[in-house]
Amino acid sequence: MSTRSRIGIQIGSDVLSVYHHWDGYPTWLGKVLNTHYNSKEKVAELIDGGDMSSCWSDSIWGDKLPEGEYAPEYYSARGENCPPVLMSKNEYLTKDNNEEYAYIYHNGEWECYNMNEFNDFLTQNITPNENISSVKTAFVIKNTKKLGNVPLD
């Protein structure tokens, strides 16, 4: 079973994003993004590849990478055309996308949004020195019903 997510970079009031299929929860994907995709250039390169199965894999569609090497497993590597999508930040943060988590890289930090429609809207910033236990408890609760068309900046 997967924990689906979207990974995006904020560009003005819009977000350029891609779908990420496996392990989208903050204790894995949040930590990987913060550790390995921690600059605007690295995030842009990751997103440029399009939708993916995983951003940090030791194999690409069955082909094992050399020991200790990891890379994104893009759907385009198996012939699918799934380019990044540009949308407003408000649109990005709606449950209509059906992912459990949404990540946005903005001003040198990752923001993680729990998109579970049955719980309160949760957000967090993940900083470089945080460990897994602090990532779990760093959420700030916001109510999804207050988002509407109100700018989130």
Side-chain angles (χ1 to χ4, degrees):
M1 198 153 145
S2 63
T3 304
R4 302 162 312 197
S5 59
R6 289 201 73 78
I7 300 171
I9 188 167
Q10 189 164 340
I11 303 168
S13 61
D14 295 328
V15 176
L16 182 67
S17 70
V18 293
Y19 173 76
H20 183 277
H21 189 72
W22 293 107
D23 302 322
Y25 44 88
T27 54
W28 190 84
L29 182 55
K31 191 164 180 70
V32 168
L33 291 173
N34 196 56
T35 303
H36 301 286
Y37 301 99
N38 50 16
S39 71
K40 186 177 180 180
E41 294 76 23
K42 290 178 182 178
V43 175
E45 184 178 348
L46 174 68
I47 290 171
D48 191 48
D51 292 353
M52 65 193 80
S53 178
S54 177
C55 71
W56 197 250
S57 181
D58 63 358
S59 64
I60 306 300
W61 305 113
D63 294 330
K64 187 87 169 140
L65 296 174
E67 184 69 31
E69 288 189 24
Y70 297 86
E73 189 172 38
Y74 293 111
Y75 292 135
S76 59
R78 64 179 188 189
E80 295 181 38
N81 183 22
C82 305
V85 176
L86 184 67
M87 61 185 87
S88 74
K89 187 173 180 181
N90 284 340
E91 182 182 6
Y92 181 76
L93 294 175
T94 65
K95 184 58 183 168
D96 295 342
N97 292 321
N98 293 315
E99 286 84 17
E100 284 86 356
Y101 293 95
Y103 293 86
I104 300 175
Y105 189 80
H106 179 64
N107 290 333
E109 292 185 314
W110 281 104
E111 299 171 351
C112 174
Y113 297 86
N114 182 338
M115 303 302 289
N116 186 331
E117 67 184 336
F118 300 108
N119 293 326
D120 284 338
F121 191 77
L122 306 174
T123 182
Q124 73 179 25
N125 288 331
I126 305 169
T127 59
N129 295 320
E130 284 185 316
N131 60 34
I132 290 174
S133 63
S134 66
V135 170
K136 286 183 187 176
T137 59
F139 288 99
V140 176
I141 297 175
K142 294 183 178 181
N143 189 327
T144 52
K145 293 174 178 52
K146 292 183 182 175
L147 288 177
N149 291 322
V150 177
L152 298 173
D153 291 327

